[in-house]
Amino acid sequence: MQTTSPMINKDVLHRRNKHINGYPFDLLIKTLPALSNFVKPNQYGRVTIDFSNPVAVKMLNKALLLHYYRLSYWDIPDDYLCPPIPGRADYIHYLADLLAQDNQNKIPTGKRISMLDIGVGANAIYPIIGCAEYDWSFVGSDINPTSIKVASLIAKSNESLKNNLQCRLQPNSEAIFANIIKPKEFYLATLCNPPFHNSKQQAQASAHTKLQKLGKLSSEKDQVVLNFGGQHAELWCKGGESAFIAKMIAESVNYKTQCLWFTSLVSKKESLTRIKQQLKKASVTEYQIIPMAQGKKISRFVAWTFFDREQRQKQVKNFEERREL
């Protein structure tokens, strides 16, 4: 059964998103002086950075994470995914609203609220934001050993994450929840930013189009640099995001009693047809398509559950009672 989400028709960031009013570069530079090397007025006189420059993007992300999300250390290797922070924060906030629906419109908070981030990446963005905003605890999985090593270092280097993020290597590139969700574990939700391209060529073509719109390419032969970086598994997989999410839905059936809500970002609207077909095939109890918007960019995430509303309310209540002990 699909229900209509109350979070609809948004043309701006979520109301609790710290970045809803843009980037205060003066404050960010005080937090991270090195950012000043990349901040300058654009052709319209507006102070900004060159978003086609991966080094500038990484420096901005670092400043945002240090300034807003209680970090003292954050760094990732070159060419690893460095995602835009506002959009990732929106996912966390809308997910919090989803959980509140089963808790008398009160957002469940505290370290006993367990989340699973599928594909945590070297950046560990979702655990960082979720810990800072709602004090949630995370398990982060990834198939890339370097990503796990770097994310673990970020966790160990920050007091806010030290006891709130555990990173687990997925040894089977064909598995999603298997090997990660352990017996007797229970998560209120899973998150995922799936690889949405179906090939390296498609990822490069998408980056080329974006850079052309930014006026950073003078010809079709110009070399494309992915401004937000990204390794193979972070950017593309066979069949793209619709295949990945369909696989995730199919595998979630095996863990339907160990997670309240399974969720994933869906970048492309056209992916929803296959996703809905897979949800029906999996006989989920309920699902929601929750829209998000950042200016002209429209995104969304899909959430599905095998619990009915009464069962979900009991599960959240149990977590809330454990938090108060």
Side-chain angles (χ1 to χ4, degrees), residues 7 20 22 31 124 131-132 226:
M7 298 81 76
I20 195 167
T31 299
C131 289
L226 299 176

Side-chain angles (χ1 to χ4, degrees), residues 203-213 217 219-220 222 224:
Q204 291 282 353
S206 176
H208 193 281
T209 299
K210 289 179 181 178
L211 291 175
Q212 275 191 320
K213 290 180 179 179
L217 296 179
S219 74
E220 292 293 325
D222 284 351
V224 173

Side-chain angles (χ1 to χ4, degrees), residues 6-7 10 12-21 90 93-94 96-97 100 105 107 134:
M7 298 81 76
K10 297 290 184 180
V12 295
L13 294 170
H14 190 283
R15 65 187 183 281
R16 291 193 302 275
N17 195 313
K18 287 181 167 62
H19 315 293
I20 195 167
N21 295 316
D90 252 27
H93 291 303
Y94 280 111
D97 289 345
N105 294 320
I107 296 171
Y134 303 110

Side-chain angles (χ1 to χ4, degrees), residues 1 48 57 83 110 112-113 144 173 188 214 232 262 278 294:
M1 177 183 73
T48 186
V57 170
R112 292 190 180 277
I113 305 302
N144 187 316
S173 62
L188 274 197
L214 290 171
H232 172 176
F262 296 91
Q278 188 62 48
Q294 297 92 50

Side-chain angles (χ1 to χ4, degrees), residues 72-325:
S72 57
Y73 168 84
W74 184 86
D75 195 18
I76 60 174
D78 293 340
D79 299 327
Y80 275 68
L81 187 64
C82 187
I85 306 299
R88 299 305 188 257
D90 252 27
Y91 188 0
I92 291 290
H93 291 303
Y94 280 111
L95 179 57
D97 289 345
L98 174 68
L99 296 178
Q101 292 177 25
D102 298 321
N103 193 41
Q104 300 179 328
N105 294 320
K106 177 185 175 184
I107 296 171
T109 61
K111 292 179 172 57
R112 292 190 180 277
I113 305 302
S114 300
M115 301 288 178
L116 173 58
D117 182 5
I118 299 296
V120 65
N123 56 70
I125 292 296
Y126 291 128
I128 289 169
I129 298 174
C131 289
E133 297 285 20
Y134 303 110
D135 201 25
W136 293 339
S137 292
F138 283 79
V139 168
S141 71
D142 208 286
I143 63 172
N144 187 316
T146 299
S147 291
I148 291 296
K149 181 179 179 181
V150 174
S152 296
L153 177 60
I154 291 172
K156 293 176 183 177
S157 302
N158 292 281
E159 287 297 323
S160 60
L161 292 174
K162 189 175 294 183
N163 299 314
N164 282 25
L165 172 57
Q166 179 187 148
C167 299
R168 297 177 184 173
L169 180 67
Q170 171 59 267
N172 181 358
S173 62
E174 297 300 315
I176 297 175
F177 302 115
N179 308 311
I180 300 301
I181 297 180
K182 298 180 180 179
K184 299 183 179 180
E185 285 187 338
F186 189 89
Y187 297 92
L188 274 197
T190 68
L191 304 87
C192 183
N193 180 29
F196 53 87
H197 297 298
N198 59 30
S199 67
K200 179 179 180 179
Q201 290 71 29
Q202 189 183 72
Q204 291 282 353
S206 176
H208 193 281
T209 299
K210 289 179 181 178
L211 291 175
Q212 275 191 320
K213 290 180 179 179
L214 290 171
K216 299 299 179 179
L217 296 179
S218 58
S219 74
E220 292 293 325
K221 295 182 180 180
D222 284 351
Q223 184 178 359
V224 173
V225 177
L226 299 176
N227 56 334
F228 289 101
Q231 297 294 292
H232 172 176
E234 294 176 312
L235 299 177
W236 66 87
C237 67
K238 185 177 180 181
E241 70 173 3
S242 62
F244 188 94
I245 298 171
K247 184 178 180 180
M248 180 183 291
I249 294 168
E251 193 175 329
S252 71
V253 175
N254 299 326
Y255 299 90
K256 61 184 180 181
T257 64
Q258 291 185 263
C259 181
L260 199 67
W261 286 99
F262 296 91
T263 78
S264 177
L265 277 180
V266 183
S267 177
K268 302 176 181 179
K269 186 177 180 180
E270 55 266 31
S271 297
L272 292 175
T273 299
R274 181 175 181 181
I275 290 169
K276 290 177 180 179
Q277 291 172 345
Q278 188 62 48
L279 288 167
K280 183 178 180 180
K281 185 177 179 180
S283 299
V284 304
T285 301
E286 182 179 326
Y287 75 87
Q288 296 189 28
I289 307 295
I290 298 174
M292 302 180 290
Q294 297 92 50
K296 295 181 180 180
K297 181 181 178 182
I298 304 299
S299 184
R300 67 213 49 86
F301 72 88
V302 59
W304 66 98
T305 181
F306 297 92
F307 292 87
D308 63 31
R309 183 170 178 81
E310 183 178 351
Q311 292 171 327
R312 296 199 305 271
Q313 289 173 338
K314 288 181 179 179
Q315 289 288 353
V316 177
K317 184 178 179 181
N318 287 339
F319 271 80
E320 286 284 271
E321 290 176 348
R322 287 165 57 194
R323 180 174 68 90
E324 294 172 359
L325 293 177

